[in-house]
Amino acid sequence: MANISSNLNLSVFPANETSLFAEIIIPLALPKNYTWSIPIQFKELVKPGIRVEVVLGKHKKYAGIIKRLFETAPNGFTPKPILNVLDSDPLINPEQLQLWEWIAQYYLCTEGEVMQAAVPANLKLSSESILIWNEELDESYNDLNDEEFVVAEALELRKELRLSEVQQLLDSSHVYPIIKKLIDRKLCYVWEELVEKYQEKKQTYISLHNDYTSEEKLSELLNNWGKAPKQMELLLSYLHLVKTEGEVIQSELLKKSNATAAQLKGLIDKGILLAQKRSVSRIAFLTQDIEINIELSHAQKTALHQIQGVLKTKQTCLLHGVTASGKTQLYIQLIEDYMKQGKQVLYLLPEIALTSQIIRRLQLHFGGKIGIYHSKFNANERVEIWNKIKTGELKAVLGARSSLLLPFCNLGLIIADEEHDASYKQQDPAPRYHARDSAIYYAGIFKAKVLLGSATPSIETYFNCQQDKYGLVRLSERYGDAVLPKMELVDFKNRVETVNGMTVFTETLLKQIEHTLQENKQVILFQNRRGYSPYLICDTCGWIPHCEHCDVTLTYHKSKHKLSCHYCGSTYPVVNSCTACGSHHFIQKNFGTEKIEEQVLEFFPDAKVARMDYDSVKGKNAHDALIKLFEQQRIDILVGTQMVVKGLDFEHVNLVGIVDADGILNFTDFRVNERSFQLMEQVSGRAGRKNADGKVILQVSNLKHPVLQFLRAHNYHEFYTFELENRKQFGYPPFTRLIKINFKHKEKHIAEEAAQIFSNGLKSQFSQFIMGPSQPVVDRIRNQYLWEILIKLPKDNRTIHQCKIAIQQQSLILQTNKRYRSVHVVTDVDPN
C-alpha cells in the first residue's frame, strides 16, 4: 500500500515550522471549498493547480485541486492533512481557477461542480475499495463458513485484496455480506485507494536487428534463406513498409503481409527483427505546416480590415454576416494572424454536429496545429488534447462549449460562431453556464479578443452592439455570385391527399422537389421533430398515451415500432386498444422526420433519401459520414431536424423545404419569435450557396404571422426593432436579467410547499421582481413534479448580487427543514 504510511504521523507540525494550509476543490457540490493542512514533507511540492489526495469524512478519498495556500489556521475545526501530492506540475492554470470561481459565483453553482465538468474523467481519480488484513488479530477464524474462510485465508496470505479480486475468488458478485462479516469480526478493514485511470496508449514498433542494417548483411540473409517462405514474405513486407512509411507498426505489418503473430515471433526469436513497445498519441498526426491560400472577395477584405480595427479598441466584436457570406474564411485568416503572434485560438461551435465539416477545412490550412475537442471523444483522447493545450503544443482548438474549460496557456482569440445558438447554454447538470458569455469573461483574464459570428445574432448581443459595448461589422453579401434564396409561403392547409390519407406536402413543395431533382440538384427538408408521429389519439374518445414517468405524450417511432418519451427516454409497446374506452382505432397526429422520409420515398422512389436526426446519427463519426455522402451528391434529399440547419455548407442544394413552420412559431416562450426567425433563416441559408438561385418553400397555416414578413425579406434589422419593442414592453432581456428556480420532488404537494416557502423568503426584499411559484407546461419529468419561480431583475449589479446571495441563503434554509431536504432546487441564471 503506497499511501498508508503517509496517513500515520503527519497531522502535527514541529514548533519551529510555519503551518501551511490549502483551500482545495474536490468534485462535489459542497457549499464552500474545504481546507486541509500540508504536512512538512509536501510543503515544497504544493502550489495552486496541483492535484492532491485527500480524505473527506472517515474513509472517502478524492483527488482535489489546490486553489490557494495560506498560513492562518481556519477557525472552528482542525484540518486533516493531505495524503499525497499527485502532480509535479500544476494540472490547472491560474486563469482556469479564476474562470471556475467566476462561473460558480455568476451561475450559482459550486466550484466542485465546475471541476467535475472541466477536468477529463481520466484525470480525475476513482476510489476503489481494498480489504486490508488486520495484523494485530490474535484469534482463530475457524468458525467461519466456507466462503468466509476462503476470503480470510487469502487475505492472511496476500495482506490485501481488491473487491473485484474477492468477487473472482468466490465466483460471485454477492460478496458484501461476506465482507461485512469479516469486518465485524475485525479480521480486516477497508481502505480506499485512489487509482489513476489514464493509461498511455502503446504500440509495438518493429525494426531490423543491427546485424542486418548494412546492405551486404541483408543481401546475404535473403540469398541464403532456407525454409519458412511465410517468414520471408513477412520480412519483405517489412522492408517495403520501412521504405514507404519510415517506421513500422506491428499491426500494419501483419495486415500488409497477411501473416500471423506467431510467424512474426519466429523472426524476432531468430534475432532478425526487434519488437519495441512505445507510447503514442491518440490524436491523429497531421503536418505542422500552415498554408493559407484563401482568395477573399472585396467585401470580405473590407470586413476583415474593419474587424482588425475594432479589436484594437474593443475586446468583443460581432461579425453580422448573412448566410454563405464567407465568415469561416475570415475566421481562418484571423486564426493565422494570432498563430503568427504565438497566441492560442479557441474556435467555439454550438454543437458537435458542426465540427466535422469545418475541421476538415481548418486542417487543410493548419494541419496538426489545430485540434478538436468535444464529448464524443473518449476519455484518453481528451486527456491528450488537454495536455497538448496546456503545454502550448496545440495552437488552436475547435470545439463545443466544454472546450472553453481547457487549460489554455497563451490565449489570444476566441471565435464564437453561430453565437445566437441556444446550445451554448448548458442545461443539466450544473454548472449551467453559457459558453459565449463565459468566453467573454475568460478572454478578459488573458486580455484576449472575442469575435462573435452569426447571420441571425441574439437580441442581447445585437443590443450590446447598439449600446457600443461591442463592436459591429456587417458582411451583407454572399460570397461569389450567390444571392439570398427566394422564400415562398404556402398554405399548409392545402396539403395533398392520397389513398393513404393526408400527406405532409403541398402541391407547390412536391413540384419544386421534382424540378430540383430533374436539374440534378439537392433538397433539404426540415422538420423540428424526430420520430414518426408526435402522438397517437383514440378516434372514439380522444384518449392519448402518456409516459408513466413524465406528463408528456408519447412519440411513435415506426422503425422501432415503439412509443418513446423524448423527456426521459422510456420506451413502450405500441398501444392497440384504448385504456379509456377499449377502442382499437387510433389516429396518428402530426408528424416527425421519420414520416416525412417515408412519404418522400413514396413520391420519389428513385431518389436517394437519407435522414439526419438524433435517432439516425449515432457514434463519433456517423454524422461526418452522412455529411460527406451529401457533399458528394450520393444523397438527393436530406430530411432532418436542427442538425441540418447550423452552419453546414452544401454546394449543390437548391431547395429547402420547411415542412411545418407552425410547430416552430407556436411555442409558449418569450423568445419564440427570435428562435423562429433564427431557425428558419438559418435553414433557408443552406439553399443556393454556390452560383445558383436557391428557393425556400415554407409551409405554414398562419400566413399573416409578423415574423414571416421579416423572413421573406431576410431583414434582420427590422425584425430586431420589432422584437426589441416587445421585450421592452413586457420587461424581458435585454432590459432585465432572469433567474429561474425549479423545485423537483416525487410528491407534488411537497414541491409546491417548498416553492412557496422559498418564494416567501425572497419576497421580503424582491417581491416586485418575482413571478410565481407556478407549474411549468410540462409539470412532471422522471416521476419528479416541478414547480418554478421566475425572477425578473433590473440590470443593476448591486440588486442582482443581493438577489443571488438571498437565493443561496434560502436554499440553505430549505435544506435545514427535514420535510424539504429531499426537494431538488435547481437555479438557472440567464435561462434559455
Side-chain angles (χ1 to χ4, degrees):
M1 290 298 303
N3 297 322
I4 292 179
S5 61
S6 64
N7 294 324
L8 304 179
N9 55 2
L10 305 173
S11 58
V12 180
F13 295 103
N16 61 344
E17 286 285 344
T18 305
S19 299
L20 188 63
F21 303 92
E23 179 186 341
I24 296 174
I25 306 167
I26 60 173
L28 292 178
L30 299 177
K32 59 181 285 189
N33 295 327
Y34 199 71
T35 298
W36 278 266
S37 64
I38 306 297
I40 298 163
Q41 71 269 35
F42 295 140
K43 288 178 76 171
E44 299 301 318
L45 303 176
V46 294
K47 60 183 81 167
I50 289 276
R51 287 182 303 168
V52 292
E53 191 174 354
V54 296
V55 171
L56 186 69
K58 290 186 178 179
H59 300 296
K60 200 67 178 175
K61 294 175 72 179
Y62 295 93
I65 291 172
I66 295 177
K67 182 181 178 183
R68 66 186 183 97
L69 296 162
F70 51 95
E71 295 178 354
T72 305
N75 293 324
F77 70 99
T78 303
K80 294 179 182 178
I82 66 167
L83 304 181
N84 211 341
V85 177
L86 302 174
D87 301 306
S88 55
D89 296 307
L91 180 75
I92 304 297
N93 295 330
E95 295 85 359
Q96 269 184 296
L97 290 172
Q98 196 174 334
L99 175 67
W100 290 10
E101 182 177 16
W102 179 83
I103 288 176
Q105 289 175 352
Y106 185 87
Y107 292 103
L108 294 179
C109 61
T110 68
E111 288 179 72
E113 289 171 314
V114 183
M115 175 188 172
Q116 184 72 8
V119 180
N122 282 6
L123 289 176
K124 290 182 289 220
L125 299 174
S126 61
S127 195
E128 185 173 330
S129 295
I130 293 178
L131 299 180
I132 307 295
W133 177 251
N134 184 2
E135 296 287 1
E136 296 175 4
L137 186 73
D138 59 359
E139 64 180 85
S140 168
Y141 53 83
N142 292 325
D143 59 333
L144 301 177
N145 68 30
D146 289 348
E147 288 185 321
E148 292 163 356
F149 188 90
V150 167
V151 177
E153 193 175 47
L155 265 171
E156 188 175 17
L157 289 169
R158 291 270 304 275
K159 306 305 179 190
E160 64 180 69
L161 284 176
R162 294 182 183 277
L163 207 61
S164 55
E165 291 174 325
V166 175
Q167 289 172 339
Q168 290 173 358
L169 190 66
L170 299 178
D171 195 22
S172 168
S173 58
H174 304 291
V175 298
Y176 290 97
I178 298 163
I179 292 169
K180 185 177 185 303
K181 177 73 174 291
L182 299 181
I183 293 169
D184 290 345
R185 283 283 305 272
K186 296 184 171 51
L187 292 167
C188 65
Y189 58 94
V190 176
W191 181 255
E192 297 284 302
E193 182 189 64
L194 287 169
V195 182
E196 178 72 75
K197 288 182 183 176
Y198 174 67
Q199 298 291 328
E200 288 185 328
K201 181 179 179 181
K202 294 191 179 249
Q203 282 187 331
T204 302
Y205 283 80
I206 305 299
S207 58
L208 199 61
H209 195 282
N210 288 339
D211 291 350
Y212 302 103
T213 50
S214 69
E215 280 195 32
E216 184 182 336
K217 289 284 187 182
L218 185 59
S219 298
E220 184 182 336
L221 174 67
L222 294 171
N223 291 333
N224 296 310
W225 198 273
K227 295 179 180 179
K230 268 289 181 186
Q231 288 185 0
M232 165 70 97
E233 190 179 330
L234 184 59
L235 181 58
L236 291 173
S237 295
Y238 164 81
L239 294 171
H240 176 73
L241 273 175
V242 84
K243 269 193 174 181
T244 56
E245 304 293 333
E247 291 188 307
V248 178
I249 299 169
Q250 177 177 303
S251 56
E252 292 178 1
L253 174 58
L254 294 177
K255 186 177 177 182
K256 180 173 177 61
S257 61
N258 200 25
T260 65
Q263 289 161 348
L264 176 59
K265 186 175 182 299
L267 286 174
I268 293 168
D269 290 344
K270 289 177 181 177
I272 297 170
L273 294 179
L274 299 171
Q276 180 188 26
K277 275 193 182 289
R278 288 190 227 160
S279 296
V280 295
S281 172
R282 289 177 171 85
I283 313 305
F285 176 78
L286 294 163
T287 175
Q288 296 295 302
D289 295 335
I290 295 180
E291 183 184 348
I292 307 294
N293 51 6
I294 296 171
E295 188 175 334
L296 299 179
S297 67
H298 175 72
Q300 285 176 312
K301 288 176 182 174
T302 302
L304 180 62
H305 181 70
Q306 289 174 344
I307 291 167
Q308 291 166 334
V310 166
L311 292 179
K312 287 178 181 175
T313 57
K314 292 186 183 295
Q315 185 206 10
T316 305
C317 177
L318 169 67
L319 172 59
H320 181 201
V322 298
T323 55
S325 57
K327 294 187 289 293
T328 306
Q329 293 165 319
L330 298 188
Y331 301 154
I332 290 170
Q333 194 68 57
L334 287 164
I335 291 169
E336 182 202 18
D337 292 346
Y338 279 85
M339 278 187 174
K340 284 181 177 176
Q341 297 172 35
K343 300 283 188 179
Q344 291 176 307
V345 180
L346 171 59
Y347 186 156
L348 284 171
L349 286 165
E351 285 195 41
I352 299 165
L354 289 173
T355 58
S356 55
Q357 192 180 50
I358 291 177
I359 194 65
R360 294 201 300 273
R361 293 184 184 181
L362 295 183
Q363 285 176 339
L364 279 175
H365 300 289
F366 301 112
K369 288 187 181 293
I370 190 160
I372 183 168
Y373 187 88
H374 56 63
S375 60
K376 289 288 179 77
F377 273 36
N378 70 43
N380 284 328
E381 287 172 324
R382 288 201 224 178
V383 170
E384 295 192 8
I385 292 174
W386 176 283
N387 290 332
K388 286 175 186 287
I389 292 289
K390 186 169 165 291
T391 60
E393 183 180 341
L394 266 181
K395 295 300 180 189
V397 177
L398 173 74
R401 63 174 177 261
S402 59
S403 59
L404 177 70
L405 302 172
L406 287 166
F408 292 92
C409 58
N410 191 18
L411 189 61
L413 174 69
I414 299 177
I415 297 168
D417 197 13
E418 310 296 343
E419 66 82 27
H420 65 275
D421 199 286
S423 299
Y424 276 126
K425 181 72 158 68
Q426 164 77 6
Q427 299 299 327
D428 279 309
R432 294 172 183 84
Y433 67 104
H434 198 298
R436 177 201 62 207
D437 299 344
S438 301
I440 292 170
Y441 178 83
Y442 197 27
I445 296 172
F446 284 95
K447 294 184 170 48
K449 303 297 182 180
V450 179
L451 179 64
L452 310 175
S454 177
T456 55
S458 70
I459 298 294
E460 288 91 334
T461 295
Y462 206 75
F463 182 78
N464 282 331
C465 293
Q466 301 299 311
Q467 300 297 306
D468 203 35
K469 186 177 178 181
Y470 300 165
L472 173 62
V473 173
R474 292 187 177 89
L475 189 55
S476 53
E477 62 182 60
R478 283 188 150 189
Y479 184 74
D481 299 323
V483 295
L484 288 167
K486 294 175 183 174
M487 185 175 289
E488 182 178 351
L489 306 184
V490 180
D491 194 335
F492 194 38
K493 294 188 286 290
N494 299 329
R495 285 179 287 165
V496 173
E497 191 169 359
T498 66
V499 291
N500 296 323
M502 191 67 73
T503 70
V504 303
F505 298 113
T506 58
E507 189 70 40
T508 304
L509 181 53
L510 286 174
K511 284 181 178 177
Q512 284 295 330
I513 293 172
E514 185 177 11
H515 176 70
T516 305
L517 294 177
Q518 286 172 353
E519 291 189 328
N520 294 318
K521 296 293 184 179
Q522 292 170 296
V523 179
I524 289 177
L525 297 176
F526 171 72
Q527 168 66 346
N528 207 27
R529 286 178 175 170
R530 58 190 174 95
Y532 188 82
S533 175
Y535 63 96
L536 304 177
I537 183 169
C538 174
D539 194 33
T540 305
C541 71
W543 177 80
I544 300 172
H546 276 67
C547 176
E548 293 174 4
H549 314 294
C550 309
D551 188 25
V552 292
T553 57
L554 296 171
T555 300
Y556 174 52
H557 288 256
K558 191 171 184 180
S559 61
K560 303 172 188 173
H561 196 54
K562 294 277 186 186
L563 294 174
S564 177
C565 175
H566 287 177
Y567 279 77
C568 70
S570 299
T571 57
Y572 303 82
V574 174
V575 177
N576 295 313
S577 61
C578 175
T579 300
C581 71
S583 169
H584 298 293
H585 190 205
F586 284 86
I587 299 171
Q588 293 168 358
K589 283 287 184 179
N590 223 312
F591 54 89
T593 50
E594 209 176 329
K595 188 169 185 175
I596 295 172
E597 181 186 26
E598 180 184 270
Q599 291 194 3
V600 166
L601 287 166
E602 288 175 9
F603 281 108
F604 305 101
D606 297 328
K608 298 184 284 291
V609 182
R611 177 163 50 94
M612 186 188 291
D613 58 26
Y614 179 81
D615 301 307
S616 62
V617 177
K618 301 287 186 183
K620 184 164 69 175
N621 300 313
H623 185 271
D624 191 30
L626 189 54
I627 286 173
K628 283 179 181 175
L629 289 174
F630 198 61
E631 285 175 333
Q632 296 161 6
Q633 289 189 280
R634 291 162 68 183
I635 296 169
D636 300 316
I637 302 173
L638 183 62
V639 180
T641 56
Q642 291 189 46
M643 283 186 174
V644 303
V645 175
K646 303 171 181 178
L648 297 174
D649 186 9
F650 300 118
E651 191 170 337
H652 304 286
V653 173
N654 263 25
L655 176 67
V656 166
I658 300 174
V659 183
D660 177 23
D662 296 297
I664 305 168
L665 289 163
N666 294 326
F667 277 101
T668 53
D669 184 85
F670 81 91
R671 284 196 175 93
V672 62
N673 287 342
E674 179 184 7
R675 294 277 160 77
S676 300
F677 182 90
Q678 289 166 343
L679 197 55
M680 291 190 277
E681 180 69 8
Q682 289 285 340
V683 74
S684 69
R686 302 317 106 200
R689 295 174 74 90
K690 294 287 189 296
N691 305 318
D693 292 334
K695 186 145 192 180
V696 179
I697 303 294
L698 195 152
Q699 297 186 154
V700 63
S701 300
N702 182 8
L703 294 166
K704 294 184 178 179
H705 196 290
V707 170
L708 300 178
Q709 313 317 314
F710 304 122
L711 269 170
R712 288 182 73 177
H714 301 289
N715 193 330
Y716 174 83
H717 188 73
E718 287 295 322
F719 166 73
Y720 165 80
T721 305
F722 164 81
E723 184 63 14
L724 196 69
E725 186 56 39
N726 290 335
R727 300 279 184 93
K728 188 174 183 179
Q729 184 179 348
F730 295 103
Y732 281 107
F735 300 102
T736 56
R737 283 283 171 81
L738 299 185
I739 300 177
K740 186 165 72 174
I741 308 169
N742 277 311
F743 302 84
K744 303 179 182 180
H745 196 269
K746 62 183 179 181
E747 294 184 44
K748 186 176 182 178
H749 66 281
I750 290 182
E752 182 181 4
E753 287 172 22
Q756 195 64 58
I757 290 168
F758 201 102
S759 175
N760 292 340
L762 291 176
K763 280 181 178 176
S764 60
Q765 287 179 271
F766 306 100
S767 58
Q768 69 270 40
F769 308 130
I770 294 175
M771 300 172 66
S774 61
Q775 290 180 275
V777 176
V778 178
D779 67 350
R780 184 170 62 97
I781 297 175
R782 295 184 177 90
N783 287 327
Q784 297 277 306
Y785 287 93
L786 275 63
W787 283 77
E788 68 180 24
I789 297 170
L790 184 66
I791 308 174
K792 284 185 183 179
L793 293 167
K795 291 181 75 174
D796 170 56
N797 288 336
R798 186 169 176 271
T799 304
I800 293 168
H801 179 66
Q802 287 175 341
C803 186
K804 287 180 177 179
I805 291 172
I807 289 169
Q808 290 172 319
Q809 289 171 344
Q810 290 303 316
S811 296
L812 292 172
I813 291 168
L814 200 67
Q815 289 300 305
T816 60
N817 189 322
K818 189 176 180 181
R819 180 174 174 81
Y820 307 117
R821 203 167 289 161
S822 55
V823 175
H824 186 38
V825 181
V826 175
T827 306
D828 191 1
V829 178
D830 300 338
N832 271 337

